[in-house]
Amino acid sequence: MLSVLYVNRWNDCGMCVEEGVLARSFEIDSRRRSAPSQMLKLILTVCLSTALGMLIHELGHLFAARCCKVHASELAIGFGPTLFGFSIGSIRFNVRALPLGSFVRLDGTALKARSVKAQLFVHLGGIVFNLIAGFAAFGTMFGWLNLLIAAGNILPIYKHDGWKCGLVLMRAYLSRQSQPFEWAYTFSGGIVSLLIGWAVIRMFM
């Protein structure tokens, strides 16, 4: 319809103008046809980059655990039922059905027996690896996703690395476990994380 309108308007100028208008129309149509494929490519790139970023994160924990002589039995991308996997030595690498996160299964008793510095080193190992990858690929989507994973994990959200580090420091300060203090810390950490997330969103709105 766009080409017909332009042809009727510039009909007195000859065929050359008509051909140029049709070419422009074809170009617009080709852009419209390529938009879904570009969106699909973007989604696949984000998914693969995020999965690789999560793998880097867990490899950081695994590296730190090995340095502190804490046994690890599994590294998994995703949660739920196992889709496929393989073993390297005593560690099982699995891809699970629900792509909502990742984890390394560590010997918790052995980790708690280590010093406070060693525990913090293990919990922060993933964040450090993401920061290294993020700054090494700075300016790319992969780099930004690694920095985002690092930032999300440093927040004191329940079961995240920042929360675990705070728990280690609290228990060391109190010289014992205190359920009321830990519940208060978990609740306040969640509130603080929500406020930080809201502030970041407001910055980009």
Side-chain angles (χ1 to χ4, degrees), residues 195-205:
L195 291 175
I196 292 174
W198 177 81
V200 171
I201 291 172
R202 289 284 295 175
M203 287 174 60
F204 292 97
M205 288 182 62

Side-chain angles (χ1 to χ4, degrees), residues 21-143:
V21 172
L22 289 174
R24 185 180 301 174
S25 178
F26 290 144
E27 182 181 354
I28 293 173
D29 289 341
S30 64
R31 287 179 181 176
R32 288 176 179 173
R33 285 194 295 268
S34 65
S37 62
Q38 290 176 350
M39 181 61 67
L40 179 60
K41 183 179 179 181
L42 177 62
I43 292 172
L44 289 175
T45 301
V46 171
C47 290
L48 291 174
S49 297
T50 301
L52 184 55
M54 290 191 295
L55 177 60
I56 290 171
H57 182 86
E58 301 309 335
L59 287 174
H61 288 306
L62 184 60
F63 172 79
R66 284 298 182 90
C67 290
C68 297
K69 301 188 185 314
V70 176
H71 176 69
S73 59
E74 181 186 4
L75 187 156
I77 302 298
F79 301 104
T82 299
L83 297 178
F84 62 89
F86 58 91
S87 296
I88 298 179
S90 60
I91 303 176
R92 182 73 181 172
F93 293 83
N94 290 323
V95 174
R96 294 175 175 261
L98 301 176
L100 302 176
S102 57
F103 67 90
V104 170
R105 196 181 302 279
L106 300 175
D107 184 342
T109 303
L111 180 58
K112 289 179 182 178
R114 301 296 183 265
S115 67
V116 172
K117 288 183 180 180
Q119 292 182 61
L120 294 177
F121 178 56
V122 172
H123 291 315
L124 293 174
I127 294 173
V128 172
F129 267 45
N130 281 134
L131 289 175
I132 293 173
F135 286 114
F138 189 76
T140 66
M141 181 181 295
F142 177 69

Side-chain angles (χ1 to χ4, degrees), residues 2-22:
L2 180 62
S3 60
V4 173
L5 288 175
Y6 274 87
V7 169
N8 290 338
R9 183 177 178 183
W10 301 103
N11 193 36
D12 294 337
C13 296
M15 180 60 73
C16 61
V17 176
E18 183 178 349
E19 290 176 351
V21 172
L22 289 174

